[in-house]
Amino acid sequence: MAKSKPTAKSKASSIGEEAASDDDRSSQWLTGRGVIPPILCVAVFGLLVRAGVSLHSYSGAADPPKYGDFEAQRHWMEITTNLPASEWYRNSSVNDLRYWGLDYPPLTAYQSYVHGLWLKSVLPESVQLFTSRGHESHLGKLLMRWTVLSSDVLVFVPAALCFILAYYSQQNEGRSDMVWHSAMVLLNPCLILIDHGHFQYNCISLGLTVGAVAAILTKRELLAGVLFSLALNHKQMSAYFAPAFFSYLLGKCLKHSNPLIEVLKLGFVVIGTFVLLWWPYLQSKEAFFEVLSRLAPFERGIYEDYVANFWCTASVLIKWKKLFSMHFLKLVSLTATVVTCLPSMVHQIRYPSYQSFLYGMLNSSFAFYFFSFQVHEKSILLPLLPASLLAFEEPFVYSWFTHFAMLSMFPLLIRDKLIVPFAVLSILFTLLFRAPCRKQDSTKQIPTSMKLLPRKLLTFFSVFLHIIYVTLTPPKRYPFLFEAIIMLHCFIQFVLLAIYTNVKQWNLPKPSSSADNKKKLL
């Protein structure tokens, strides 16, 4: 039979179908079915935002004699590139530890060394021993900013993307939520302002931690042990998450048919990673304790500045530093931290699950933030990280927490002259959080216990505190009155959030006994 020629109507129909299929493909790309391209767009946008913030001021800009955190990081590059590793933590005529001595674990020193080599190859005078102190040339500042941006690109961004892919492999939710969640993790305003404004490298330790979380979600516990050990050896504050990692991994090991072997494997991996990183300082007892003493600055006291934790807030009524000895405060601080971590740890050991692990990270970091020794304003980044990882499950908690975390750091960021990026990132975060791409309305997912809060009144009061801090001068008799009010306001909200997340962890669905029996066969 002869083939019939296509009519004009059928041609139009086929063209329409082709156009529809093209629209389908583009809509898939945009709505999240083809999820990688839009997530990469979010990542690129996040890097552009970071670059924009880095154009502003930083900690200690043009403020001699010690400047600030920017100079501390540059000075560590100066020390590590000009002295042997054995001298990095040792007080000497060429390394005065009173001038920004290294006070982080060896991985930070190695990172400073690598970045310092790059600066030395491009601008040698920026890391010249002695003569480079306070170096603030335009090119020097640009190179320093690039070291932080490159650290984000190489560590935090890939780790965050791995987490998103691993997390949603466990979920049955729409792919568009993956794009929203990636924006919540990658565009956290607090981390961007501290690393790319104030100037630090939290993106490395936090990135390694997120990588460890992604490894756990994909059942690579040994890799998780290595990555978290690296995080601990970059910044000792990563210990905020240690109870969660320890209790979850122990709980998982106990579910195996040979728990002792599983524990030994993890122990070998962790100890091996520590030995490798600490090797230059394990050659003598003296060298080891020189590094160790730098990591625990007890001489600074139990708190500094106005931090929204228990010790600083309670100091309004109880003068801890005057009434109690350092030994007593160290003991009480340790006891309070361990006791507040225990409920979350016990739950994870008994009922290990991915969900419980993420809540455990948040609860243990809250405990450390409230009660550990020598907490800084920037330490709020630690509990904020697991809150961002739980943003899909607890959107209100994350947004409410971020709002008050920003407020708690406001006095620090004002001192750094970062009010413009602070305001822009606050607005950007609000817009992204309320983005219409989510299938569920995150503003409606408010825990019942949180609905009792006068949220509009508290938000208005927070905005009011921002305004009076910038515009008014406190009474001479109480020069830190506004800082104290901000501290108290934020502390109350943090406590309420910590109570909620601890209760929520214990109310998570328990794994069935049949599932436990299956795990025993592994």
Side-chain angles (χ1 to χ4, degrees), residues 99-128:
Y99 185 81
W100 297 121
L102 260 168
D103 53 7
Y104 285 115
L107 189 56
T108 287
Y110 304 146
Q111 166 241 311
S112 299
Y113 175 73
V114 172
H115 286 153
L117 287 178
W118 184 58
L119 262 70
K120 200 170 189 175
S121 66
V122 180
L123 190 66
E125 57 267 31
S126 66
V127 288
Q128 193 70 35

PDB file of all heavy atoms in Angstrom, residues 99-128:
ATOM      1  N   TYR A  99      51.978  36.918  69.798  1.00  0.00           N
ATOM      2  CA  TYR A  99      51.479  37.572  68.586  1.00  0.00           C
ATOM      3  C   TYR A  99      50.860  36.506  67.679  1.00  0.00           C
ATOM      4  O   TYR A  99      51.506  35.924  66.840  1.00  0.00           O
ATOM      5  CB  TYR A  99      52.599  38.305  67.849  1.00  0.00           C
ATOM      6  CG  TYR A  99      52.105  39.102  66.657  1.00  0.00           C
ATOM      7  CD1 TYR A  99      51.540  40.360  66.821  1.00  0.00           C
ATOM      8  CD2 TYR A  99      52.172  38.573  65.369  1.00  0.00           C
ATOM      9  CE1 TYR A  99      51.071  41.084  65.738  1.00  0.00           C
ATOM     10  CE2 TYR A  99      51.704  39.286  64.269  1.00  0.00           C
ATOM     11  CZ  TYR A  99      51.156  40.540  64.463  1.00  0.00           C
ATOM     12  OH  TYR A  99      50.684  41.258  63.373  1.00  0.00           O
ATOM     13  N   TRP A 100      49.600  36.235  67.886  1.00  0.00           N
ATOM     14  CA  TRP A 100      48.835  35.294  67.078  1.00  0.00           C
ATOM     15  C   TRP A 100      49.548  33.947  66.897  1.00  0.00           C
ATOM     16  O   TRP A 100      49.736  33.459  65.782  1.00  0.00           O
ATOM     17  CB  TRP A 100      48.528  35.884  65.689  1.00  0.00           C
ATOM     18  CG  TRP A 100      47.667  37.102  65.711  1.00  0.00           C
ATOM     19  CD1 TRP A 100      47.986  38.332  65.224  1.00  0.00           C
ATOM     20  CD2 TRP A 100      46.338  37.219  66.251  1.00  0.00           C
ATOM     21  NE1 TRP A 100      46.958  39.217  65.423  1.00  0.00           N
ATOM     22  CE2 TRP A 100      45.924  38.566  66.054  1.00  0.00           C
ATOM     23  CE3 TRP A 100      45.468  36.331  66.890  1.00  0.00           C
ATOM     24  CZ2 TRP A 100      44.694  39.028  66.459  1.00  0.00           C
ATOM     25  CZ3 TRP A 100      44.231  36.815  67.306  1.00  0.00           C
ATOM     26  CH2 TRP A 100      43.859  38.128  67.088  1.00  0.00           C
ATOM     27  N   GLY A 101      49.947  33.349  68.038  1.00  0.00           N
ATOM     28  CA  GLY A 101      50.531  32.014  67.958  1.00  0.00           C
ATOM     29  C   GLY A 101      49.508  30.996  67.486  1.00  0.00           C
ATOM     30  O   GLY A 101      48.303  31.127  67.764  1.00  0.00           O
ATOM     31  N   LEU A 102      49.949  29.992  66.759  1.00  0.00           N
ATOM     32  CA  LEU A 102      49.050  28.932  66.287  1.00  0.00           C
ATOM     33  C   LEU A 102      48.320  28.284  67.462  1.00  0.00           C
ATOM     34  O   LEU A 102      48.950  27.840  68.413  1.00  0.00           O
ATOM     35  CB  LEU A 102      49.852  27.868  65.547  1.00  0.00           C
ATOM     36  CG  LEU A 102      49.844  27.909  64.014  1.00  0.00           C
ATOM     37  CD1 LEU A 102      50.919  26.985  63.463  1.00  0.00           C
ATOM     38  CD2 LEU A 102      48.486  27.529  63.452  1.00  0.00           C
ATOM     39  N   ASP A 103      46.998  28.232  67.397  1.00  0.00           N
ATOM     40  CA  ASP A 103      46.235  27.607  68.480  1.00  0.00           C
ATOM     41  C   ASP A 103      45.156  26.663  67.939  1.00  0.00           C
ATOM     42  O   ASP A 103      44.112  26.481  68.558  1.00  0.00           O
ATOM     43  CB  ASP A 103      45.618  28.661  69.406  1.00  0.00           C
ATOM     44  CG  ASP A 103      44.802  29.705  68.659  1.00  0.00           C
ATOM     45  OD1 ASP A 103      44.604  29.538  67.440  1.00  0.00           O
ATOM     46  OD2 ASP A 103      44.367  30.685  69.290  1.00  0.00           O
ATOM     47  N   TYR A 104      45.441  26.094  66.770  1.00  0.00           N
ATOM     48  CA  TYR A 104      44.573  25.074  66.189  1.00  0.00           C
ATOM     49  C   TYR A 104      45.408  23.828  65.906  1.00  0.00           C
ATOM     50  O   TYR A 104      46.637  23.899  65.823  1.00  0.00           O
ATOM     51  CB  TYR A 104      43.923  25.582  64.901  1.00  0.00           C
ATOM     52  CG  TYR A 104      42.808  26.579  65.138  1.00  0.00           C
ATOM     53  CD1 TYR A 104      42.927  27.894  64.703  1.00  0.00           C
ATOM     54  CD2 TYR A 104      41.645  26.200  65.790  1.00  0.00           C
ATOM     55  CE1 TYR A 104      41.913  28.820  64.921  1.00  0.00           C
ATOM     56  CE2 TYR A 104      40.621  27.109  66.011  1.00  0.00           C
ATOM     57  CZ  TYR A 104      40.761  28.416  65.573  1.00  0.00           C
ATOM     58  OH  TYR A 104      39.758  29.310  65.801  1.00  0.00           O
ATOM     59  N   PRO A 105      44.767  22.667  65.702  1.00  0.00           N
ATOM     60  CA  PRO A 105      45.506  21.404  65.492  1.00  0.00           C
ATOM     61  C   PRO A 105      46.351  21.419  64.214  1.00  0.00           C
ATOM     62  O   PRO A 105      46.253  22.339  63.392  1.00  0.00           O
ATOM     63  CB  PRO A 105      44.391  20.351  65.427  1.00  0.00           C
ATOM     64  CG  PRO A 105      43.212  20.979  66.084  1.00  0.00           C
ATOM     65  CD  PRO A 105      43.314  22.440  65.793  1.00  0.00           C
ATOM     66  N   PRO A 106      47.173  20.372  64.023  1.00  0.00           N
ATOM     67  CA  PRO A 106      48.144  20.353  62.923  1.00  0.00           C
ATOM     68  C   PRO A 106      47.570  20.546  61.523  1.00  0.00           C
ATOM     69  O   PRO A 106      48.235  21.133  60.668  1.00  0.00           O
ATOM     70  CB  PRO A 106      48.787  18.971  63.055  1.00  0.00           C
ATOM     71  CG  PRO A 106      48.692  18.655  64.509  1.00  0.00           C
ATOM     72  CD  PRO A 106      47.383  19.231  64.948  1.00  0.00           C
ATOM     73  N   LEU A 107      46.355  20.076  61.242  1.00  0.00           N
ATOM     74  CA  LEU A 107      45.832  20.218  59.879  1.00  0.00           C
ATOM     75  C   LEU A 107      45.662  21.687  59.505  1.00  0.00           C
ATOM     76  O   LEU A 107      45.846  22.057  58.337  1.00  0.00           O
ATOM     77  CB  LEU A 107      44.499  19.468  59.730  1.00  0.00           C
ATOM     78  CG  LEU A 107      43.967  19.360  58.293  1.00  0.00           C
ATOM     79  CD1 LEU A 107      44.985  18.719  57.361  1.00  0.00           C
ATOM     80  CD2 LEU A 107      42.653  18.589  58.260  1.00  0.00           C
ATOM     81  N   THR A 108      45.322  22.533  60.465  1.00  0.00           N
ATOM     82  CA  THR A 108      45.260  23.970  60.199  1.00  0.00           C
ATOM     83  C   THR A 108      46.642  24.501  59.845  1.00  0.00           C
ATOM     84  O   THR A 108      46.791  25.342  58.952  1.00  0.00           O
ATOM     85  CB  THR A 108      44.700  24.727  61.414  1.00  0.00           C
ATOM     86  OG1 THR A 108      43.293  24.479  61.518  1.00  0.00           O
ATOM     87  CG2 THR A 108      44.906  26.229  61.285  1.00  0.00           C
ATOM     88  N   ALA A 109      47.667  24.007  60.545  1.00  0.00           N
ATOM     89  CA  ALA A 109      49.038  24.432  60.245  1.00  0.00           C
ATOM     90  C   ALA A 109      49.436  24.008  58.836  1.00  0.00           C
ATOM     91  O   ALA A 109      50.050  24.785  58.085  1.00  0.00           O
ATOM     92  CB  ALA A 109      50.000  23.854  61.275  1.00  0.00           C
ATOM     93  N   TYR A 110      49.088  22.779  58.447  1.00  0.00           N
ATOM     94  CA  TYR A 110      49.417  22.308  57.101  1.00  0.00           C
ATOM     95  C   TYR A 110      48.665  23.117  56.042  1.00  0.00           C
ATOM     96  O   TYR A 110      49.211  23.429  54.980  1.00  0.00           O
ATOM     97  CB  TYR A 110      49.079  20.824  56.944  1.00  0.00           C
ATOM     98  CG  TYR A 110      49.745  19.928  57.963  1.00  0.00           C
ATOM     99  CD1 TYR A 110      49.110  18.789  58.446  1.00  0.00           C
ATOM    100  CD2 TYR A 110      51.020  20.220  58.468  1.00  0.00           C
ATOM    101  CE1 TYR A 110      49.708  17.958  59.380  1.00  0.00           C
ATOM    102  CE2 TYR A 110      51.631  19.392  59.413  1.00  0.00           C
ATOM    103  CZ  TYR A 110      50.959  18.273  59.860  1.00  0.00           C
ATOM    104  OH  TYR A 110      51.558  17.458  60.802  1.00  0.00           O
ATOM    105  N   GLN A 111      47.397  23.436  56.334  1.00  0.00           N
ATOM    106  CA  GLN A 111      46.621  24.262  55.411  1.00  0.00           C
ATOM    107  C   GLN A 111      47.258  25.646  55.272  1.00  0.00           C
ATOM    108  O   GLN A 111      47.376  26.183  54.160  1.00  0.00           O
ATOM    109  CB  GLN A 111      45.184  24.384  55.915  1.00  0.00           C
ATOM    110  CG  GLN A 111      44.348  25.469  55.260  1.00  0.00           C
ATOM    111  CD  GLN A 111      43.860  26.509  56.245  1.00  0.00           C
ATOM    112  OE1 GLN A 111      43.309  26.177  57.296  1.00  0.00           O
ATOM    113  NE2 GLN A 111      44.050  27.785  55.928  1.00  0.00           N
ATOM    114  N   SER A 112      47.710  26.229  56.384  1.00  0.00           N
ATOM    115  CA  SER A 112      48.387  27.529  56.349  1.00  0.00           C
ATOM    116  C   SER A 112      49.672  27.450  55.533  1.00  0.00           C
ATOM    117  O   SER A 112      50.018  28.385  54.798  1.00  0.00           O
ATOM    118  CB  SER A 112      48.704  28.001  57.777  1.00  0.00           C
ATOM    119  OG  SER A 112      47.523  28.151  58.527  1.00  0.00           O
ATOM    120  N   TYR A 113      50.370  26.325  55.666  1.00  0.00           N
ATOM    121  CA  TYR A 113      51.615  26.125  54.924  1.00  0.00           C
ATOM    122  C   TYR A 113      51.359  26.095  53.412  1.00  0.00           C
ATOM    123  O   TYR A 113      52.062  26.757  52.634  1.00  0.00           O
ATOM    124  CB  TYR A 113      52.273  24.821  55.375  1.00  0.00           C
ATOM    125  CG  TYR A 113      53.503  24.443  54.588  1.00  0.00           C
ATOM    126  CD1 TYR A 113      54.703  25.145  54.755  1.00  0.00           C
ATOM    127  CD2 TYR A 113      53.465  23.383  53.688  1.00  0.00           C
ATOM    128  CE1 TYR A 113      55.831  24.799  54.023  1.00  0.00           C
ATOM    129  CE2 TYR A 113      54.590  23.030  52.961  1.00  0.00           C
ATOM    130  CZ  TYR A 113      55.775  23.736  53.131  1.00  0.00           C
ATOM    131  OH  TYR A 113      56.888  23.397  52.404  1.00  0.00           O
ATOM    132  N   VAL A 114      50.332  25.355  52.989  1.00  0.00           N
ATOM    133  CA  VAL A 114      50.016  25.253  51.562  1.00  0.00           C
ATOM    134  C   VAL A 114      49.602  26.610  51.007  1.00  0.00           C
ATOM    135  O   VAL A 114      50.070  27.041  49.946  1.00  0.00           O
ATOM    136  CB  VAL A 114      48.906  24.203  51.328  1.00  0.00           C
ATOM    137  CG1 VAL A 114      48.431  24.229  49.876  1.00  0.00           C
ATOM    138  CG2 VAL A 114      49.409  22.814  51.686  1.00  0.00           C
ATOM    139  N   HIS A 115      48.709  27.296  51.722  1.00  0.00           N
ATOM    140  CA  HIS A 115      48.294  28.619  51.275  1.00  0.00           C
ATOM    141  C   HIS A 115      49.465  29.598  51.303  1.00  0.00           C
ATOM    142  O   HIS A 115      49.589  30.461  50.425  1.00  0.00           O
ATOM    143  CB  HIS A 115      47.154  29.139  52.157  1.00  0.00           C
ATOM    144  CG  HIS A 115      45.835  28.478  51.880  1.00  0.00           C
ATOM    145  ND1 HIS A 115      44.840  28.366  52.827  1.00  0.00           N
ATOM    146  CD2 HIS A 115      45.358  27.882  50.757  1.00  0.00           C
ATOM    147  CE1 HIS A 115      43.804  27.739  52.298  1.00  0.00           C
ATOM    148  NE2 HIS A 115      44.096  27.436  51.050  1.00  0.00           N
ATOM    149  N   GLY A 116      50.312  29.475  52.316  1.00  0.00           N
ATOM    150  CA  GLY A 116      51.472  30.356  52.427  1.00  0.00           C
ATOM    151  C   GLY A 116      52.445  30.188  51.273  1.00  0.00           C
ATOM    152  O   GLY A 116      53.038  31.157  50.788  1.00  0.00           O
ATOM    153  N   LEU A 117      52.622  28.943  50.809  1.00  0.00           N
ATOM    154  CA  LEU A 117      53.498  28.697  49.660  1.00  0.00           C
ATOM    155  C   LEU A 117      52.984  29.416  48.417  1.00  0.00           C
ATOM    156  O   LEU A 117      53.766  29.960  47.625  1.00  0.00           O
ATOM    157  CB  LEU A 117      53.600  27.197  49.382  1.00  0.00           C
ATOM    158  CG  LEU A 117      54.423  26.359  50.369  1.00  0.00           C
ATOM    159  CD1 LEU A 117      54.377  24.890  49.956  1.00  0.00           C
ATOM    160  CD2 LEU A 117      55.872  26.842  50.433  1.00  0.00           C
ATOM    161  N   TRP A 118      51.657  29.415  48.258  1.00  0.00           N
ATOM    162  CA  TRP A 118      51.077  30.104  47.106  1.00  0.00           C
ATOM    163  C   TRP A 118      51.304  31.606  47.210  1.00  0.00           C
ATOM    164  O   TRP A 118      51.710  32.258  46.240  1.00  0.00           O
ATOM    165  CB  TRP A 118      49.582  29.781  47.008  1.00  0.00           C
ATOM    166  CG  TRP A 118      48.938  30.376  45.792  1.00  0.00           C
ATOM    167  CD1 TRP A 118      49.289  30.171  44.498  1.00  0.00           C
ATOM    168  CD2 TRP A 118      47.831  31.289  45.774  1.00  0.00           C
ATOM    169  NE1 TRP A 118      48.466  30.888  43.661  1.00  0.00           N
ATOM    170  CE2 TRP A 118      47.572  31.581  44.417  1.00  0.00           C
ATOM    171  CE3 TRP A 118      47.039  31.871  46.760  1.00  0.00           C
ATOM    172  CZ2 TRP A 118      46.538  32.444  44.021  1.00  0.00           C
ATOM    173  CZ3 TRP A 118      46.010  32.713  46.368  1.00  0.00           C
ATOM    174  CH2 TRP A 118      45.774  32.997  45.025  1.00  0.00           C
ATOM    175  N   LEU A 119      51.041  32.172  48.405  1.00  0.00           N
ATOM    176  CA  LEU A 119      51.292  33.599  48.586  1.00  0.00           C
ATOM    177  C   LEU A 119      52.761  33.944  48.361  1.00  0.00           C
ATOM    178  O   LEU A 119      53.088  34.972  47.762  1.00  0.00           O
ATOM    179  CB  LEU A 119      50.863  34.035  49.994  1.00  0.00           C
ATOM    180  CG  LEU A 119      49.476  34.688  50.097  1.00  0.00           C
ATOM    181  CD1 LEU A 119      48.378  33.665  49.854  1.00  0.00           C
ATOM    182  CD2 LEU A 119      49.286  35.337  51.462  1.00  0.00           C
ATOM    183  N   LYS A 120      53.645  33.060  48.832  1.00  0.00           N
ATOM    184  CA  LYS A 120      55.084  33.301  48.703  1.00  0.00           C
ATOM    185  C   LYS A 120      55.524  33.305  47.242  1.00  0.00           C
ATOM    186  O   LYS A 120      56.417  34.065  46.854  1.00  0.00           O
ATOM    187  CB  LYS A 120      55.848  32.229  49.475  1.00  0.00           C
ATOM    188  CG  LYS A 120      57.270  32.603  49.834  1.00  0.00           C
ATOM    189  CD  LYS A 120      57.851  31.592  50.812  1.00  0.00           C
ATOM    190  CE  LYS A 120      59.190  32.094  51.352  1.00  0.00           C
ATOM    191  NZ  LYS A 120      59.727  31.184  52.394  1.00  0.00           N
ATOM    192  N   SER A 121      54.880  32.470  46.431  1.00  0.00           N
ATOM    193  CA  SER A 121      55.249  32.412  45.012  1.00  0.00           C
ATOM    194  C   SER A 121      54.736  33.615  44.230  1.00  0.00           C
ATOM    195  O   SER A 121      55.326  34.001  43.226  1.00  0.00           O
ATOM    196  CB  SER A 121      54.702  31.128  44.391  1.00  0.00           C
ATOM    197  OG  SER A 121      53.280  31.145  44.366  1.00  0.00           O
ATOM    198  N   VAL A 122      53.636  34.215  44.688  1.00  0.00           N
ATOM    199  CA  VAL A 122      53.043  35.344  43.973  1.00  0.00           C
ATOM    200  C   VAL A 122      53.472  36.676  44.576  1.00  0.00           C
ATOM    201  O   VAL A 122      53.816  37.622  43.852  1.00  0.00           O
ATOM    202  CB  VAL A 122      51.501  35.242  43.971  1.00  0.00           C
ATOM    203  CG1 VAL A 122      50.879  36.419  43.221  1.00  0.00           C
ATOM    204  CG2 VAL A 122      51.046  33.930  43.355  1.00  0.00           C
ATOM    205  N   LEU A 123      53.475  36.774  45.896  1.00  0.00           N
ATOM    206  CA  LEU A 123      53.788  38.028  46.591  1.00  0.00           C
ATOM    207  C   LEU A 123      54.630  37.716  47.828  1.00  0.00           C
ATOM    208  O   LEU A 123      54.114  37.659  48.948  1.00  0.00           O
ATOM    209  CB  LEU A 123      52.473  38.725  46.993  1.00  0.00           C
ATOM    210  CG  LEU A 123      52.564  40.152  47.529  1.00  0.00           C
ATOM    211  CD1 LEU A 123      53.046  41.117  46.452  1.00  0.00           C
ATOM    212  CD2 LEU A 123      51.207  40.602  48.077  1.00  0.00           C
ATOM    213  N   PRO A 124      55.944  37.491  47.657  1.00  0.00           N
ATOM    214  CA  PRO A 124      56.797  37.031  48.768  1.00  0.00           C
ATOM    215  C   PRO A 124      56.764  37.936  49.993  1.00  0.00           C
ATOM    216  O   PRO A 124      56.813  37.445  51.122  1.00  0.00           O
ATOM    217  CB  PRO A 124      58.202  37.010  48.147  1.00  0.00           C
ATOM    218  CG  PRO A 124      57.969  36.928  46.678  1.00  0.00           C
ATOM    219  CD  PRO A 124      56.689  37.639  46.413  1.00  0.00           C
ATOM    220  N   GLU A 125      56.632  39.252  49.780  1.00  0.00           N
ATOM    221  CA  GLU A 125      56.668  40.170  50.925  1.00  0.00           C
ATOM    222  C   GLU A 125      55.454  40.025  51.838  1.00  0.00           C
ATOM    223  O   GLU A 125      55.472  40.476  52.987  1.00  0.00           O
ATOM    224  CB  GLU A 125      56.773  41.628  50.451  1.00  0.00           C
ATOM    225  CG  GLU A 125      55.672  42.097  49.523  1.00  0.00           C
ATOM    226  CD  GLU A 125      56.012  41.929  48.051  1.00  0.00           C
ATOM    227  OE1 GLU A 125      56.746  40.983  47.712  1.00  0.00           O
ATOM    228  OE2 GLU A 125      55.503  42.748  47.237  1.00  0.00           O
ATOM    229  N   SER A 126      54.396  39.358  51.362  1.00  0.00           N
ATOM    230  CA  SER A 126      53.190  39.203  52.185  1.00  0.00           C
ATOM    231  C   SER A 126      53.364  38.158  53.275  1.00  0.00           C
ATOM    232  O   SER A 126      52.579  38.121  54.233  1.00  0.00           O
ATOM    233  CB  SER A 126      51.991  38.849  51.313  1.00  0.00           C
ATOM    234  OG  SER A 126      52.150  37.576  50.731  1.00  0.00           O
ATOM    235  N   VAL A 127      54.376  37.285  53.154  1.00  0.00           N
ATOM    236  CA  VAL A 127      54.639  36.278  54.189  1.00  0.00           C
ATOM    237  C   VAL A 127      56.117  36.276  54.608  1.00  0.00           C
ATOM    238  O   VAL A 127      56.628  35.277  55.094  1.00  0.00           O
ATOM    239  CB  VAL A 127      54.216  34.861  53.715  1.00  0.00           C
ATOM    240  CG1 VAL A 127      52.707  34.722  53.672  1.00  0.00           C
ATOM    241  CG2 VAL A 127      54.823  34.532  52.361  1.00  0.00           C
ATOM    242  N   GLN A 128      56.776  37.402  54.432  1.00  0.00           N
ATOM    243  CA  GLN A 128      58.173  37.514  54.846  1.00  0.00           C
ATOM    244  C   GLN A 128      58.259  37.537  56.367  1.00  0.00           C
ATOM    245  O   GLN A 128      57.483  38.230  57.023  1.00  0.00           O
ATOM    246  CB  GLN A 128      58.783  38.806  54.279  1.00  0.00           C
ATOM    247  CG  GLN A 128      60.293  38.898  54.361  1.00  0.00           C
ATOM    248  CD  GLN A 128      60.993  37.936  53.411  1.00  0.00           C
ATOM    249  OE1 GLN A 128      60.512  37.693  52.320  1.00  0.00           O
ATOM    250  NE2 GLN A 128      62.109  37.388  53.846  1.00  0.00           N
TER     251      GLN A 128
END
